[in-house]
Amino acid sequence: MGYKKPSFIEGIAEKLGIIPNLHKDNYQEFDGDMRQFSDEEVAKMYENFPPPEKWDNWVEYNPKVWPKKEKTTYQIVPTTCFNCESACGLTAFINKETQEVVKFEGNPQHPGSRGRNCAKGPATINQITDPDRILYPLKRKGKRGDGEWERISWNEALDTIAARIRKAIKEDRRNEIAYHVGRPGHEKFMNWILQGWGIDGHNSHTNICSSGARFGYNIWYGYDRPSPDHAEAKFILLISAHLESGHYFNPHAQRIIEGKMKGAKLATMDPRLSNTASMSDYWMPSYPGTEAAVLLAMALIILEEGLYNRDYLENWTNWQDYLKSKNVEIKFENYISEMIKEYKEFTPEFAEKESGVKAEMIVEIAHKIGEAGERFASHNWRSAGASNLGGWAVARCLHFLSVLTGAVGAKGGTSPNSWNKFSPTQPNPPAPQKVWNELHFPKEYPLAFFEMSQLLPHFLKEGRGYMDVYFSRVFNPIWTYPDGFTWMEMFMREDKFGLHTALTPTWNETAFYADFVLPMGLASERHDINSYATHGGTWVAFRQPVLREAARRNGNPVEYTYQANPGEVWEEDEFWIELSWRIDPDGSMGIRKTFESPYRPGEKITVDEYYQYIFERIDGLTNKAEADGFTGQFAALEYMKKYGAYEIEAGESYNMNERPVSEDKLKGSVVDPDNGVIRKDGKDIGVMVNGKAVVGFPTPSRKNEFYSQTMIDWKWPEYAIPQYIKSHIHNDVLDKSKGEYVLVPTFRLPTLIHSRSGNAKWLVEISNRNPIWMHPDDAKKWGFKTGDLVKMNTDIGYFIDKVWVTQSMKPGVVACSHHIGRWRRPQDKIGNRWATNTVKIVNDGNGGWKMNTMSGIKPFESKDKDSKRIFWKDGGVHQNITHAVHPDPISGMHTWHQRVRIEKPTADENYGDIFVDTNKSHEIYKEWLAMTRPAPGPNGERRPLWFKRAFTPDKTEGGCYYITDDKKEK
Ligand code: SF4
């Protein structure tokens, strides 16, 4: 029932008048009514979002003065959440009288999130009202890192940075300009900016995040992300819970539950009993790094028992190339028998020995996957793919199961992400840059799926280059990356980083070492467009600065977003357009033309024009806007400003590889007699399948590549087909007699966001510690109980944490969540006090760094009364800074799992103590570098031409995509 009896305590409190008596008869007229409704009916009432036609004048009672009935009138403006990649819809409730944002709720018009959010969405209100946020542009005073700052104007910042970039470009030092991003948000916007400047200056966080799995998917089918159709699946397999407890959390979680309600079964492979594992039908607590062995065992069962989809394998894999390479007769049956031979060692018993997952469970799940057939949805994002030497092979082996069952691109199966994602058409698109920046894509890692960002400080340390103008944006490598002290060493040197500008909404450990700190808007204070593969459909959403939009609706439009935001908080879109214009004020450098209005020739583009240009090119959007009553040039934009999202298609994007190549395109094309690939003007445009010309996949064979000639051509023949690669933390390499364990440092608590939730009091109140998870058997062996101190020795140092004894951890494995252990030094600007320890950092001048916690979290005075009510004291421990860089030699992915030696601390060692030797970390960088097999590949290529590359440079033969000197030497 919707009505509940009071508890004993409530009853007394009501009688004494401490809280209002809600239970006396006829207390509220509606209260009586509520008792008549079932739980389902009450739940339905809460789905009644304010209808959009009332968004400009929505009246609610003020809950803070309840039971007094005080009405508040709101303007509701949609935007999107910025607290993870999913970009769920939010609606900002703006008090009409005061023009303050009071709360955020879900946006029912958003097709990805459908009105729902995780805890981090509504917590956006904490972030925008955080008393410690940065409100004005700042410039460092004194030495870098000393902690002294002065307020400056936006003009001073823009002019200084623009002059420096102009000089670097004019002196042809383009590779000394870089933009390094943590959480991106806007589709292709930075391609437009940086390629507009003609630089190869993009650096992302992806190699510490997801590039391992991306490589594994890409090598199969030319797409680097999966889009599981959970709601329509019959069987769902997740490699770890990382996705569902942090990434695409809400949109995927709600669809997994829908799938389960329709009868789907869910299996999760994870050494930790995560939230998702606890909701699963099967939990497979595998030893970290052995996931591929389990997946290949399942593949072998599917092959041996004939549970595979013959049509799919025959038509959509390059099996003929595989048999040719083995000199075996080209006959489909031989394909199956050869695969069975390849994987014969992967028996369920072998997989159990490797992983610890019971053989019977492996067999049962393999049968379920076979039975689900095309309706097999699966996902691997960070987790195993991001944690192990060869982690990319986990995603490759997982996709193998989708291929075997024919689930690739099928309804209820797993599609490529790009099929469910919108890509914008931008005004004045710039040409690809003609330079290649080896600080981001060095020769040693030709297959690295993204920039080798984790190695940048080591490259600078050994003199490979210099960063004259460097931007960090929502990016905190000192804290988030492995080996943060090496970053700190380099950031402190002006001969390594000339001018460092941190674009950030809130203080962070990296911004302390910047020259400019420029405040950028949070989710509801900026423009972006978003589109993500949340399900079998495609949508686009519009993140907008809600106070600016409210001002416009109220007849008070502003020119720049910082005029509507708190203080002088700006947004990147307008900042970059303004900066680009100032780099090339008279247009003589050829930069300005990209940033001119498509509607007013020669004039600077406005942010409204930029988005209108994109929105008016989306199929059906203008018609929809006009049907909704919007007229004029900006109808499509007005629609997006009103609703915040548009559904481009509701779920027909299955099997898109089977789309026919148009008659027009086929004119003048030729078909390769060996493999049926259709070519025109030197480009592959499709493939013949069963006598039909279809588009296929963007791989050399236009099919799923079970057999990869690319791996052979690029010097890794041992990985021509899906393989199990033993991780750097495999049991064989750990010395248990010395107390060595594997540390899983990759999971997050679902309520936190990397280093960006320290400004969200509700989130920090829920989760504010990161102890070492340890199984009771291990704890007993060591004599640990919950709360005891433990010293975790890594390759380059140690950190001292507390133990949490829990059965939710696989025996023999320990884990520590990231996102906690934030810090500031006494001299640093106050920030994120809900979550930061105050620490002392001492450098011995010879690579040795010590950090000690001086004080934990304390209540403080501020305009927010809750700041005096802080009850937690423990800010956790910064673990990542004690990890060495471990880049996978193929995918380039940092392999996060750590071999650690567990010890009991000595009497003079304390909770939170950290030590790192950066000389040792540089040695380890070199050890891993020695594992690489450098470019060039065929024809002097730096990278396979068919691989996507972020911010793709010009591919003209002999140009920057080729290593011409090496070619001459060959
Ligand atoms: S899943 Fe949560 S954090 Fe991510 S966008 Fe949605 S509401 Fe925000």
Side-chain angles (χ1 to χ4, degrees):
M1 292 290 287
Y3 172 82
K4 283 206 173 70
K5 286 175 94 176
S7 68
F8 177 69
I9 302 283
E10 274 177 323
I12 292 177
E14 284 179 348
K15 284 209 175 83
L16 294 175
I18 298 169
I19 60 173
N21 186 347
L22 314 185
H23 299 91
K24 63 185 176 192
D25 286 343
N26 301 324
Y27 174 73
Q28 281 185 330
E29 49 187 274
F30 196 58
D31 197 35
D33 293 341
M34 290 296 282
R35 301 175 198 206
Q36 302 163 26
F37 297 117
S38 67
D39 280 348
E40 289 71 32
E41 285 164 326
V42 172
K44 190 117 196 80
M45 288 173 202
Y46 287 104
E47 281 174 10
N48 289 339
F49 295 94
E53 60 275 14
K54 293 193 180 167
W55 281 7
D56 264 334
N57 213 20
W58 178 250
V59 180
E60 277 185 4
Y61 292 118
N62 178 357
K64 286 196 175 154
V65 298
W66 183 82
K68 212 169 114 193
K69 290 185 176 176
E70 181 185 284
K71 286 181 178 171
T72 309
T73 308
Y74 296 102
Q75 266 182 301
I76 298 177
V77 180
T79 190
T80 62
C81 179
F82 194 48
N83 283 337
C84 85
E85 191 181 20
S86 329
C88 297
L90 291 178
T91 44
F93 283 61
I94 300 168
N95 183 313
K96 219 163 168 170
E97 203 181 309
T98 62
Q99 283 298 290
E100 279 174 312
V101 182
V102 176
K103 62 174 175 173
F104 290 93
E105 294 192 355
N107 179 4
Q109 304 291 319
H110 188 296
S113 55
R114 303 180 291 189
R116 304 170 209 175
N117 297 103
C118 76
K120 292 167 283 190
T124 303
I125 191 68
N126 299 161
Q127 297 173 307
I128 66 170
T129 57
D130 171 31
D132 290 347
R133 65 178 300 185
I134 309 165
L135 291 172
Y136 300 97
L138 298 170
K139 184 168 88 171
R140 116 175 117 86
K141 285 198 301 189
K143 275 191 14 226
R144 198 181 274 170
D146 273 2
E148 286 186 67
W149 300 88
E150 64 182 342
R151 184 174 159 183
I152 56 165
S153 68
W154 276 110
N155 271 330
E156 181 181 344
L158 284 164
D159 287 338
T160 310
I161 301 166
R164 198 149 175 156
I165 293 174
R166 181 166 58 243
K167 189 165 185 288
I169 293 176
K170 284 197 164 172
E171 292 171 2
D172 203 16
R173 294 183 285 111
R174 286 166 199 262
N175 283 348
E176 292 180 7
I177 307 163
Y179 161 81
H180 208 152
V181 64
R183 164 60 36 236
H186 34 214
E187 297 298 324
K188 285 169 74 178
F189 187 86
M190 287 311 293
N191 296 58
W192 188 63
I193 297 290
L194 300 179
Q195 293 188 313
W197 300 355
I199 67 168
D200 193 27
H202 183 263
N203 207 344
S204 68
H205 74 287
T206 313
N207 267 1
I208 61 146
C209 172
S210 58
S211 62
R214 287 174 188 263
F215 184 89
Y217 285 109
N218 179 71
I219 199 71
W220 260 112
Y221 69 163
Y223 296 105
D224 66 347
R225 299 177 69 155
S227 173
D229 193 12
H230 293 309
E232 301 297 333
K234 285 193 176 153
F235 196 85
I236 300 169
L237 173 57
L238 305 173
I239 305 297
S240 116
H242 200 101
L243 178 87
E244 313 314 333
S245 61
H247 207 66
Y248 284 5
F249 167 62
N250 157 51
H252 273 186
Q254 54 179 272
R255 289 175 174 88
I256 287 173
I257 295 301
E258 268 172 46
K260 275 174 71 74
M261 285 165 73
K262 289 194 263 178
K265 296 290 177 211
L266 171 63
T268 301
M269 200 176 336
D270 191 332
R272 196 177 60 89
L273 184 67
S274 62
N275 296 21
T276 311
S278 67
M279 298 290 287
S280 300
D281 300 284
Y282 300 93
W283 174 36
M284 290 181 277
S286 49
Y287 182 84
T290 62
E291 296 82 356
V294 176
L295 297 169
L296 289 179
M298 292 176 183
L300 183 63
I301 293 165
I302 289 171
L303 284 165
E304 285 180 332
E305 298 189 19
L307 299 172
Y308 53 84
N309 181 325
R310 176 178 173 135
D311 279 356
Y312 195 83
L313 284 178
E314 194 162 10
N315 292 325
W316 285 109
T317 64
N318 66 339
W319 58 277
Q320 296 92 337
D321 294 342
Y322 167 61
L323 292 185
K324 261 186 237 166
S325 76
K326 297 187 79 77
N327 276 327
V328 171
E329 188 189 351
I330 313 285
K331 225 168 80 181
F332 182 77
E333 287 66 28
N334 289 345
Y335 178 32
I336 300 296
S337 57
E338 286 299 316
M339 283 197 285
I340 289 173
K341 272 194 240 161
E342 298 278 7
Y343 299 114
K344 64 178 183 309
E345 73 173 294
F346 290 93
T347 59
E349 292 70 30
F350 171 78
E352 176 176 338
K353 188 174 135 289
E354 283 296 283
S355 68
V357 179
K358 291 273 173 243
E360 304 81 64
M361 188 182 273
I362 294 171
V363 174
E364 187 175 336
I365 291 174
H367 288 160
K368 295 274 176 205
I369 292 171
E371 282 162 23
E374 292 183 350
R375 294 199 168 214
F376 165 57
S378 61
H379 207 295
N380 171 215
W381 192 230
R382 295 166 181 158
S383 67
S387 308
N388 298 290
L389 176 70
W392 58 274
V394 177
R396 194 185 196 191
C397 293
L398 182 63
H399 187 79
F400 189 17
L401 296 179
S402 297
V403 170
L404 289 172
T405 51
V408 182
K411 184 166 185 169
T414 309
S415 290
N417 151 81
S418 313
W419 293 2
N420 300 125
K421 186 172 161 69
F422 157 76
S423 177
T425 306
Q426 295 163 301
N428 313 321
Q433 67 277 18
K434 292 190 183 303
V435 284
W436 182 288
N437 195 334
E438 290 192 2
L439 287 176
H440 307 322
F441 285 98
K443 287 179 197 154
E444 290 91 340
Y445 295 90
L447 302 180
F449 217 63
F450 273 80
E451 302 90 349
M452 296 303 300
S453 58
Q454 73 272 46
L455 300 189
L456 180 63
H458 291 281
F459 293 159
L460 297 178
K461 191 168 184 168
E462 66 184 17
R464 290 196 189 201
Y466 159 70
M467 284 288 151
D468 189 47
V469 187
Y470 178 81
F471 296 93
S472 54
R473 184 247 172 180
V474 195
F475 181 62
N476 186 10
I478 287 181
W479 195 86
T480 311
Y481 271 52
D483 200 11
F485 280 121
T486 298
W487 280 92
M488 199 187 289
E489 282 177 357
M490 292 301 108
F491 276 136
M492 286 167 74
R493 288 180 55 176
E494 291 184 40
D495 62 329
K496 300 294 180 188
F497 287 93
L499 178 74
H500 173 191
T501 301
L503 307 169
T504 176
T506 177
W507 279 104
N508 65 50
E509 289 78 352
T510 299
F512 297 149
Y513 296 89
D515 301 304
F516 286 123
V517 171
L518 305 181
M520 292 295 166
L522 291 151
S524 57
E525 299 168 342
R526 51 181 298 122
H527 290 95
D528 287 323
I529 41 174
N530 321 113
S531 180
Y532 291 106
T534 52
H535 62 289
T538 309
W539 51 267
V540 57
F542 189 40
R543 185 176 287 140
Q544 62 179 334
V546 296
L547 289 176
R548 178 178 180 157
E549 171 58 7
R552 185 188 74 92
R553 289 187 199 172
N554 298 337
N556 307 308
V558 297
E559 190 179 358
Y560 293 110
T561 297
Y562 62 71
Q563 293 163 325
N565 277 346
E568 288 181 8
V569 171
W570 207 359
E571 61 166 311
E572 277 96 338
D573 284 9
E574 286 182 341
F575 170 80
W576 291 117
I577 293 170
E578 197 59 38
L579 184 66
S580 303
W581 201 264
R582 292 186 195 208
I583 292 169
D584 184 17
D586 57 8
S588 59
M589 295 167 74
I591 290 174
R592 209 182 83 166
K593 64 179 189 310
T594 298
F595 309 104
E596 289 177 358
S597 164
Y599 308 106
R600 298 171 296 116
E603 294 189 54
K604 196 190 308 172
I605 192 170
T606 65
V607 78
D608 272 359
E609 288 173 332
Y610 175 80
Y611 287 105
Q612 170 60 26
Y613 186 90
I614 291 169
F615 292 148
E616 70 191 18
R617 281 162 178 75
I618 296 176
D619 270 356
L621 178 50
T622 299
N623 290 345
K624 179 104 176 158
E626 286 171 355
D628 208 64
F630 294 107
T631 55
Q633 189 193 354
F634 289 89
L637 177 65
E638 298 252 344
Y639 179 92
M640 293 301 282
K641 284 182 174 180
K642 178 172 175 187
Y643 293 103
Y646 172 69
E647 186 161 58
I648 295 173
E649 63 91 11
E652 296 84 39
S653 49
Y654 298 111
N655 302 317
M656 289 175 72
N657 49 311
E658 293 175 9
R659 277 170 303 157
V661 182
S662 69
E663 287 298 321
D664 237 23
K665 275 198 173 164
L666 283 174
K667 274 182 207 149
S669 65
V670 289
V671 176
D672 187 319
D674 281 344
N675 57 12
V677 171
I678 308 166
R679 286 200 184 94
K680 185 175 171 181
D681 302 331
K683 279 195 184 146
D684 298 347
I685 59 166
V687 64
M688 297 302 296
V689 173
N690 284 331
K692 288 189 192 140
V694 291
V695 295
F697 295 98
T699 57
S701 64
R702 307 296 287 186
K703 296 190 176 176
N704 285 283
E705 301 215 329
F706 172 72
Y707 172 77
S708 173
Q709 186 62 41
T710 304
M711 292 305 289
I712 296 166
D713 290 346
W714 290 79
K715 307 168 193 169
W716 296 96
E718 62 270 46
Y719 302 133
I721 63 169
Q723 298 287 5
Y724 165 46
I725 302 173
K726 285 193 176 175
S727 172
H728 65 299
I729 46 81
H730 189 272
N731 251 325
D732 291 352
V733 299
L734 299 187
D735 188 343
K736 295 277 171 165
S737 69
K738 290 188 181 152
E740 286 185 352
Y741 271 68
V742 53
L743 169 69
V744 172
T746 43
F747 75 94
R748 75 156 82 168
L749 302 174
T751 40
L752 295 179
I753 315 141
H754 294 288
S755 66
R756 289 186 291 124
S757 41
N759 56 357
K761 62 182 182 184
W762 295 340
L763 303 180
V764 179
E765 182 180 357
I766 296 168
S767 331
N768 45 58
R769 281 173 293 174
N770 61 339
I772 303 296
W773 293 37
M774 191 180 280
H775 189 272
D777 291 352
D778 293 308
K780 194 171 164 200
K781 195 174 92 190
W782 283 93
F784 283 129
K785 55 186 189 311
T786 294
D788 285 353
L789 294 186
V790 56
K791 185 171 182 180
M792 307 292 287
N793 293 286
T794 65
D795 289 347
I796 60 171
Y798 63 79
F799 66 99
I800 297 182
D801 202 343
K802 289 180 184 163
V803 170
W804 183 44
V805 181
T806 170
Q807 295 206 339
S808 298
M809 200 63 230
K810 183 178 176 64
V813 181
V814 290
C816 181
S817 79
H818 52 184
H819 309 336
I820 302 178
R822 304 291 311 285
W823 51 262
R824 53 181 283 276
R825 303 160 305 165
Q827 71 265 40
D828 289 322
K829 280 281 203 187
I830 282 172
N832 301 308
R833 276 179 288 176
W834 313 98
T836 50
N837 293 320
T838 305
V839 299
K840 181 177 171 194
I841 296 177
V842 178
N843 177 15
D844 67 9
N846 193 28
W849 290 84
K850 270 192 172 164
M851 187 190 293
N852 307 100
T853 304
M854 298 166 70
S855 59
I857 295 161
K858 297 186 217 158
F860 59 93
E861 290 282 349
S862 78
K863 63 181 187 250
D864 183 340
K865 286 184 187 153
D866 280 346
S867 66
K868 283 205 318 208
R869 300 179 181 127
I870 292 177
F871 59 83
W872 58 97
K873 299 184 176 123
D874 179 354
V877 185
H878 183 186
Q879 60 165 328
N880 293 5
I881 204 163
T882 67
H883 299 180
V885 289
H886 294 154
D888 180 84
I890 296 176
S891 67
M893 175 75 220
H894 173 61
T895 57
W896 276 105
H897 288 342
Q898 299 289 310
R899 175 171 57 178
V900 288
R901 190 166 47 80
I902 291 182
E903 268 187 305
K904 289 206 164 184
T906 56
D908 58 347
E909 291 178 319
N910 297 305
Y911 179 54
D913 282 1
I914 282 168
F915 173 77
V916 168
D917 177 352
T918 54
N919 294 324
K920 183 89 180 125
S921 70
H922 197 61
E923 276 170 33
I924 289 174
Y925 147 72
K926 285 185 174 158
E927 281 171 24
W928 283 68
L929 187 68
M931 292 158 64
T932 60
R933 299 179 191 171
N939 307 314
E941 290 160 22
R942 288 183 181 275
R943 176 183 181 81
L945 292 172
W946 70 273
F947 272 28
K948 288 196 191 101
R949 209 212 87 169
F951 294 66
T952 315
D954 183 72
K955 286 190 175 173
T956 309
E957 202 163 340
C960 66
Y961 231 92
Y962 296 81
I963 301 176
T964 44
D965 287 350
D966 290 10
K967 255 193 337 186
K968 273 180 214 147
E969 281 162 24
K970 276 173 88 181

